[in-house]
Amino acid sequence: MNRRGLLGSVGRLLVVGGVTAGAGCTDAASPTGPLTPPRAPEETDTSGASLVVRDFVDVEGEEGNLLVRVTVENRSGDRQTGTIVVTATAGDTEETVSEDVTVPGGERVDVTVATSLSFEAFSQSGSLRVNVQY
């Protein structure tokens, strides 16, 4: 009987199996997921409102600040005026900015609202709330 050969084979299997099982477990985890944070889960109450936020997206300004591009829709047939209110959070810093908007009846308007928050800080741990007030 060739015990040395058998023990050597078992030893190699254990070493190879251990390396294979541990592969990837020793690497430091790198961040995954979307580059920008998810939108705030609260929906704007649009019941009976003629001006509504149709969509918004965060972008980086030329100076590295956070810009929010907002699409406002007028669901009425008449010209409507309101104020877009954006509350942006990056880490422990929160900023609320606003921009007046006038939208012809039945149309959509895109408005860019600038903040002083760093886009990089916002991308790492930020959130947005966007609504229209009358």
Side-chain angles (χ1 to χ4, degrees):
M1 188 180 248
N2 188 359
R3 286 189 218 174
R4 288 185 188 174
L6 178 62
L7 290 175
S9 295
V10 170
R12 281 191 292 274
L13 281 174
L14 289 175
V15 169
V16 171
V19 169
T20 304
C25 295
T26 59
D27 293 339
S30 59
T32 61
L35 179 60
T36 57
R39 296 178 179 186
E42 306 89 26
E43 284 198 22
T44 304
D45 180 17
T46 58
S47 58
S50 40
L51 286 182
V52 295
V53 174
R54 186 77 168 143
D55 192 24
F56 63 90
V57 64
D58 55 280
V59 294
E60 183 173 7
E62 289 181 15
E63 299 170 5
N65 62 320
L66 170 66
L67 302 178
V68 183
R69 291 196 181 133
V70 183
T71 301
V72 179
E73 179 179 43
N74 182 352
R75 293 184 177 173
S76 77
D78 301 322
R79 177 184 207 101
Q80 298 289 325
T81 300
T83 303
I84 300 169
V85 179
V86 174
T87 302
T89 305
D92 294 334
T93 306
E94 181 175 283
E95 180 179 12
T96 300
V97 291
S98 60
E99 187 79 31
D100 291 335
V101 63
T102 300
V103 185
E107 294 188 25
R108 293 180 185 169
V109 172
D110 293 323
V111 178
T112 300
V113 181
T115 73
S116 63
L117 296 176
S118 158
F119 182 79
E120 183 178 341
F122 173 78
S123 295
Q124 293 174 5
S125 63
S127 67
L128 286 173
R129 284 192 318 269
V130 180
N131 61 32
V132 178
Q133 296 179 350
Y134 294 92

